[in-house]
Amino acid sequence: MTTAKDASGIDLDIKDAKEGYERFRLEFERDRAFYKSLATKKQKPRLLWIGCSDSRVVPSQITQADPGELFEVRNIANCVPPAWADDEAVGAAIEYAIAHLGIDDIVVCGHTGCGGIQALAEPIPPDQEAHLGRWVEYTRRAHELVAAARVPDTERGVATIRAHVQFQLDNLMTYEVVAKGVAEGRVGVHGWLYDMEAGEIQAYDPKTGAWRGLLESGQ
């Protein structure tokens, strides 16, 4: 991220994006049939991924998914507002994914080092960041639970992220289309946590309340 410009006066961040687009155009020409099929056929993604907007956490990279395989909702701290909340974007995506795209698995994925989770630790100026302040209130229940449990400071960060993911799974179940799908065995909901330093995913087991490595979890 920079405000610097090249000799032609083009912002270097925009220049980098343009160069990336140029490389994409070469890839597009090499695999034009694949991209044409994406454009002409109805999308059939295999997962609804609800994750954080963090630029370091890229769902398609982590899962090695091709274009067309993930239907993504990304926002600060991977929040799922409950169905009665004053938020249309996330709810609309959930309903569209299940009712119109036939997606049968929903993943809510948090990650270590999440700035959205950490945001409540410091005052948020309401005159400058009112939207952010209201949004991160969705993380408050996790903070309160971890504080009440007297989790040691060294473990509090990860514990809060885990608790937040679990609360978002609860919020998913407030949507009728999700609750009905789960009750009928048509829809699965999954809570994951991506460890950025280790490159590993932990999965939440709602039956035992335990978190374990995704490849060992049986999900």
Side-chain angles (χ1 to χ4, degrees):
M1 183 174 64
T2 176
T3 57
K5 301 181 184 300
D6 68 5
S8 302
I10 299 176
D11 184 288
L12 293 182
D13 294 326
I14 298 300
K15 182 177 181 179
D16 184 64
K18 290 173 68 175
E19 290 174 349
Y21 166 67
E22 188 174 21
R23 293 191 295 272
F24 167 73
R25 288 294 303 164
L26 294 174
E27 176 187 318
F28 187 96
E29 291 302 323
R30 287 195 299 268
D31 205 355
R32 177 174 283 273
F34 170 69
Y35 287 103
K36 182 178 180 179
S37 71
L38 288 178
T40 56
K41 296 179 181 179
K42 181 180 178 180
Q43 63 170 318
K44 293 183 178 180
R46 52 187 172 86
L47 289 178
L48 167 58
W49 178 284
I50 302 177
C52 186
S53 298
D54 195 302
S55 60
R56 303 165 296 175
V57 182
V58 184
S60 60
Q61 181 184 53
I62 295 169
T63 64
Q64 291 293 282
D66 289 328
E69 293 187 333
L70 297 181
F71 192 68
E72 297 181 33
V73 174
R74 298 181 67 180
N75 59 48
I76 301 296
N78 46 272
C79 293
V80 180
W84 57 81
D86 187 19
D87 176 84
E88 300 294 344
V90 177
I94 291 169
E95 292 173 353
Y96 188 79
I98 296 176
H100 294 267
L101 298 180
I103 290 176
D104 56 11
D105 283 293
I106 305 172
V107 169
V108 177
C109 186
H111 67 93
T112 56
C114 181
I117 295 292
Q118 297 167 358
L120 281 182
E122 299 179 4
I124 298 175
D127 56 333
Q128 299 176 30
E129 301 175 3
H131 293 86
L132 176 62
R134 288 192 295 270
W135 185 260
V136 298
E137 280 296 318
Y138 289 122
T139 73
R140 187 172 295 279
R141 287 197 299 167
H143 286 279
E144 293 175 343
L145 178 67
V146 170
R150 300 182 183 275
V151 175
D153 289 346
T154 55
E155 302 173 16
R156 184 164 292 191
V158 172
T160 305
I161 294 166
R162 287 174 172 171
H164 177 65
V165 168
Q166 291 168 231
F167 279 127
Q168 304 324 292
L169 296 180
D170 292 341
N171 287 350
L172 270 176
M173 296 300 292
T174 67
Y175 290 86
E176 182 179 357
V177 70
V178 177
K180 184 178 180 181
V182 171
E184 296 176 353
R186 296 183 290 101
V187 174
V189 296
H190 312 270
W192 293 358
L193 186 147
Y194 175 62
D195 184 326
M196 289 200 297
E197 291 189 18
E200 297 176 351
I201 289 178
Q202 297 175 358
Y204 173 63
D205 184 346
K207 294 181 180 179
T208 65
W211 289 78
R212 56 175 58 90
L214 178 62
L215 300 183
E216 306 155 12
S217 68
Q219 287 194 18

